[in-house]
Amino acid sequence: EAQVTQNPRYLITVTGKKLTVTCSQNMNHEYMSWYRQDPGLGLRQIYYSMNVEVTDKGDVPEGYKVSRKEKRNFPLILESPSPNQTSLYFCASSRKGGGMGHEQYFGPGTRLTVT
Amino acid sequence: GQQVMQIPQYQHVQEGEDFTTYCNSSTTLSNIQWYKQRPGGHPVFLIQLVKSGEVKKQKRLTFQFGEAKKNSSLHITATQTTDVGTYFCAGPEGAAYKYIFGTGTRLKVLA
């Protein structure tokens, strides 16, 4: 089954404790992206990756890091989480090509609370 | 930077009534995507529009892309309770894959 998986699904942590949210897709997609969703603000892109070892900042990259060492995985790293990073996080993937966007497949989401 | 606004923010309709959400970008878009997110779920792709003035239909859903490629709309005819959720539009900033999502329209359908 084609899917994007995220782990963990729920996480409560404390300020400053480094954490990683994993994202994996089994569709051989080149493009992957991280979004955060906050009430009234919709989905905001954090980082995206066009392919292995190619990443770029989205709209709200501050406080986050990503890496793309393998095509299927795109982990989101919070080196020193703060309460304003409490949010619902989604990973997404899609094909790339033709100079045009393609359907993005979203993971189930990770609800992060930083106290 | 580029902004994508959606209106209305919320809409409550009686089952069987029509519903429309509008998406407006501050810049011209090369394409626009629409997604639906059920309560507690994740966004699910509905459609992508590419051409100026394009109209596409999916059963009771009609999607339009404006002539200037700066606005779009989603119209649902005769809403059903299964239409409940938040509808988002999204467009790329420039030619890259940096996607800007609208703030979404939350639809509630009263039976």
Side-chain angles (χ1 to χ4, degrees):
Chain A
E1 179 193 353
Q3 60 181 352
V4 178
T5 56
Q6 293 179 230
N7 282 292
R9 295 288 314 278
Y10 302 91
L11 179 60
I12 300 174
T13 190
V14 296
T15 299
K17 186 176 181 181
K18 181 179 178 180
L19 67 92
T20 299
V21 184
T22 64
C23 173
S24 184
Q25 50 93 5
N26 63 0
M27 295 167 279
N28 201 36
H29 286 164
E30 294 87 359
Y31 176 84
M32 297 186 75
S33 181
W34 275 103
Y35 297 89
R36 60 176 290 173
Q37 184 173 27
D38 302 289
L41 297 177
L43 290 148
R44 294 180 293 166
Q45 194 174 45
I46 304 170
Y47 270 95
Y48 64 97
S49 170
M50 300 291 281
N51 215 324
V52 176
E53 303 291 2
V54 180
T55 63
D56 208 346
K57 296 177 181 178
D59 256 1
V60 289
E62 295 78 20
Y64 304 95
K65 284 176 58 177
V66 293
S67 68
R68 188 90 183 273
K69 294 184 170 57
E70 303 167 285
K71 198 172 186 179
R72 64 183 294 126
N73 297 322
F74 190 43
L76 178 69
I77 303 155
L78 284 72
E79 294 271 3
S80 183
S82 62
N84 64 14
Q85 292 179 299
T86 292
S87 187
L88 178 59
Y89 291 86
F90 288 103
C91 179
S93 74
S94 78
R95 293 187 291 124
K96 178 175 77 71
M100 198 60 66
H102 293 280
E103 169 181 358
Q104 294 189 64
Y105 292 80
F106 281 79
T110 295
R111 187 165 292 282
L112 172 66
T113 302
V114 183
T115 61
Chain B
Q2 180 180 331
Q3 290 186 326
V4 178
M5 304 299 294
Q6 257 184 279
I7 54 170
Q9 189 173 2
Y10 300 98
Q11 184 86 58
H12 293 180
V13 299
Q14 284 292 137
E15 189 173 21
E17 291 182 340
D18 292 357
F19 159 77
T20 304
T21 174
Y22 300 91
C23 181
N24 295 290
S25 170
S26 57
T27 61
T28 300
L29 300 170
S30 57
N31 64 83
I32 193 160
Q33 298 178 343
W34 283 93
Y35 291 81
K36 175 184 178 181
Q37 183 178 23
R38 294 184 188 275
H42 58 275
V44 175
F45 177 84
L46 293 175
I47 208 160
Q48 176 168 284
L49 304 171
V50 176
K51 299 176 183 175
S52 169
E54 188 170 15
V55 178
K56 285 189 176 180
K57 292 190 176 184
Q58 288 180 351
K59 296 183 180 177
R60 295 179 294 104
L61 278 59
T62 301
F63 303 85
Q64 289 189 305
F65 200 9
E67 294 289 343
K69 301 184 77 173
K70 294 181 71 174
N71 56 73
S72 181
S73 65
L74 158 59
H75 179 81
I76 302 178
T77 303
T79 54
Q80 299 175 358
T81 54
T82 52
D83 296 324
V84 164
T86 302
Y87 293 85
F88 292 99
C89 61
E93 184 169 303
Y97 282 68
K98 182 178 176 181
Y99 272 89
I100 308 295
F101 273 72
T103 46
T105 295
R106 185 184 295 179
L107 172 64
K108 188 169 183 176
V109 179
L110 306 171

